[in-house]
Amino acid sequence: MIEKNISLKAFNTFGFDEVAEEFTRFDSSEKLAAILEDNKNKSLFILGGGSNILLTKKLECLVLKNEIKGIKLIEDGDDFVVVESGAGEVWHDFVLHCISKNWSGVENLSLIPGSVGASPMQNIGAYGVEIKDVFAYLLAYNIASGKMEKFNAEECKFGYRESAFKQTLKGLYVICHVAFRLSKKALKNTTYGAIEDELKNMGIADPSIQDISNAVISIRKSKLPDPAVIGNAGSFFKNPIVSEELVNQLKESFPNIPNYPSTDGMKKLAAGWLIEQAGWKGKNFGNYGVHEKQALVLVNYGGSTGKEVYDLSTEIIRDIKNKFNVVLEREVNIID
Ligand code: FAD
Ligand code: EPU
């Protein structure tokens, strides 16, 4: 059944009250195919958990909510498994399922909101792991041909918060299943950021994957606003990748500027640090603003619009360019 003119407020973690002209759900690739057969040539928007979108106006299209469920063991090797998940599974539930089976690889990605199906879109990452590190393959429905196609990691062209599905293949496929190759031996990826300190605080010397998940959850809860309480979509901007030359120039004025090695001799800067130094952290514009604990997160305190938050992000980009000669890129998908 296709619903008409429904509010998407409950379907995006910013909580913006924009309307979808048409809205329906599918829980299998067969249902998806049938819906597309009946709605040829309509413009479409594929919706997962709505945790990485900024709605700026009415969606004059057919919104398709992915609800394909099911987790299947595809291969059971001596020291690894390949496990395939329906795209409509909640990402964190999938992580908890893997932990309960002692399959290691995604525990550092605990508590990232959203669906399994969206995880390859921007190659989700946190605490030293990106899904490209554990990715086996995905199955995606080609909207034009009506055929299901299999993609390996190389074909997905994963990068930092990037994939082919955000670039050359944008809007052409619906991701229906994603498979991961996980280790039966605990990988214990604890070197990133505050994980080791957090484990120490918890009094744990030899962590299980459950302990690592708990540590990540605890760090995330201390920094990031819970979308159920304050509307947000996580990091609004990507951390900028810049030349070493620019970092050296910036160090002359800002000796403590955080910077990390990136690929091809480039450096990654911390956008949150730049935004904080520029004085935006915690700035409140009535019902929207910049989060007080994490300057990379823009928030809707209730009743603001995507347009207002988008305009704020434009102001921030302009200011960071003026102050640091660094161009910030939005991470959140702007839907306009
Ligand atoms: P949606 O927001 O529904 O969709 C995102 C985009 O993907 C849209 O363009 C949509 O059309 C497209 N899409 C969704 N599903 C499909 C599909 N099946 N087929 C084709 N296209 C599809 N991200 C990180 O990487 N690391 C983090 O640490 C992190 N932390 C976050 C913390 C908070 C509090 C929040 C709110 C967000 C955070 N995010 C993080 C961002 C977000 O959780 C991820 O980007 C997540 O993968 C989005 O999933 P979703 O199902 O909500 O996608
Ligand atoms: N920082 C500040 N001020 C701030 C925020 C951060 O100075 O307000 C500094 C921190 O002190 C630290 C550095 O910036 O030196 C990095 O901060 P943090 O560890 O909090 O991580 P981040 O770079 O802000 C990234 C991801 C997150 C991911 C975490 C953990 C991006 C755009 N963001 O944030 O992903 O969870 O690392 O791995 O890469 C998301 O994509 O939505 C997201 C939340």
Side-chain angles (χ1 to χ4, degrees):
M1 188 194 71
I2 293 189
E3 295 172 73
K4 305 265 186 197
N5 293 317
I6 76 143
S7 167
L8 293 175
K9 189 164 186 225
F11 295 101
N12 72 102
T13 59
F14 258 121
F16 293 131
D17 195 3
E18 296 294 346
V19 164
E21 195 167 84
E22 295 192 314
F23 180 95
T24 193
R25 305 157 192 260
F26 59 97
D27 58 10
S28 69
S29 45
E30 292 74 22
K31 281 209 184 132
L32 170 67
I35 293 167
L36 294 180
E37 182 59 31
D38 289 347
N39 292 276
K40 279 194 179 125
N41 302 323
K42 279 190 185 165
S43 48
L44 307 170
F45 179 74
I46 315 303
L47 181 65
S51 64
N52 206 19
I53 54 173
L54 177 117
L55 303 173
T56 55
K57 59 178 179 71
K58 179 175 180 179
L59 279 185
E60 286 166 346
C61 63
L62 171 58
V63 174
L64 294 168
K65 172 119 173 65
N66 190 330
E67 295 186 344
I68 300 178
K69 299 279 189 198
I71 299 176
K72 218 165 51 177
L73 188 59
I74 300 293
E75 204 178 333
D76 193 0
D78 287 342
D79 47 13
F80 73 93
V81 291
V82 175
V83 57
E84 187 186 286
S85 169
E89 290 285 348
V90 170
W91 173 262
H92 184 58
D93 292 348
F94 173 71
V95 170
L96 294 180
H97 176 81
C98 296
I99 293 171
S100 75
K101 299 279 187 188
N102 266 320
W103 299 333
S104 176
V106 287
E107 56 279 7
N108 292 49
L109 303 175
S110 294
L111 212 63
I112 296 182
S115 60
V116 169
S119 66
M121 293 297 295
Q122 69 160 12
N123 176 29
I124 56 168
Y127 297 95
V129 174
E130 293 181 332
I131 65 139
K132 73 167 173 42
D133 304 327
V134 288
F135 181 85
Y137 62 84
L138 65 79
L139 300 173
Y141 186 88
N142 181 325
I143 294 169
S145 73
K147 296 217 165 67
M148 196 65 84
E149 294 177 24
K150 190 170 183 173
F151 290 78
N152 63 25
E154 198 185 327
E155 289 161 329
C156 292
K157 296 194 168 35
F158 291 125
Y160 165 60
R161 298 294 191 271
E162 277 301 343
S163 77
F165 298 98
K166 267 181 90 175
Q167 299 289 342
T168 47
L169 305 181
K170 190 172 176 176
L172 304 182
Y173 289 89
V174 182
I175 297 170
C176 291
H177 293 91
V178 189
F180 302 89
R181 191 180 198 278
L182 302 173
S183 170
K184 287 190 175 175
K185 194 170 149 256
L187 294 175
K188 305 201 179 185
N189 203 329
T190 58
T191 52
Y192 185 95
I195 299 184
E196 273 173 0
D197 288 345
E198 188 63 32
L199 288 167
K200 226 176 262 167
N201 289 342
M202 292 159 68
I204 293 165
D206 183 20
S208 64
I209 59 173
Q210 179 71 66
D211 295 329
I212 294 171
S213 168
N214 290 344
V216 167
I217 288 173
S218 160
I219 301 166
R220 293 182 67 94
K221 282 189 171 165
S222 72
K223 291 189 184 184
L224 292 165
D226 177 355
V229 182
I230 301 176
N232 77 94
S235 300
F236 198 91
F237 305 97
K238 293 182 187 181
N239 285 324
I241 315 259
V242 301
S243 69
E244 188 160 11
E245 197 187 338
L246 178 58
V247 174
N248 290 336
Q249 280 169 22
L250 286 166
K251 272 186 188 161
E252 288 172 19
S253 312
F254 312 97
N256 299 325
I257 186 168
N259 64 97
Y260 313 91
S262 180
T263 44
D264 303 326
M266 303 288 275
K267 297 274 186 178
K268 196 188 259 186
L269 298 176
W273 187 89
L274 298 172
I275 297 169
E276 179 173 349
Q277 295 301 308
W280 290 95
K281 191 170 182 172
K283 275 223 166 154
N284 192 323
F285 301 90
N287 47 6
Y288 64 101
V290 180
H291 189 52
E292 58 186 6
K293 290 192 200 146
Q294 224 310 355
L296 205 40
V297 179
L298 303 189
V299 292
N300 169 22
Y301 292 109
S304 71
T305 64
K307 172 83 171 59
E308 286 170 321
V309 171
Y310 181 83
D311 290 347
L312 169 61
S313 71
T314 305
E315 280 299 303
I316 293 174
I317 292 171
R318 192 177 298 136
D319 193 39
I320 299 302
K321 172 79 176 88
N322 284 340
K323 293 196 166 112
F324 302 99
N325 196 23
V326 171
V327 179
L328 291 184
E329 198 185 319
R330 294 178 184 89
E331 188 215 82
V332 173
N333 297 280
I334 310 299
I335 313 303
D336 52 12

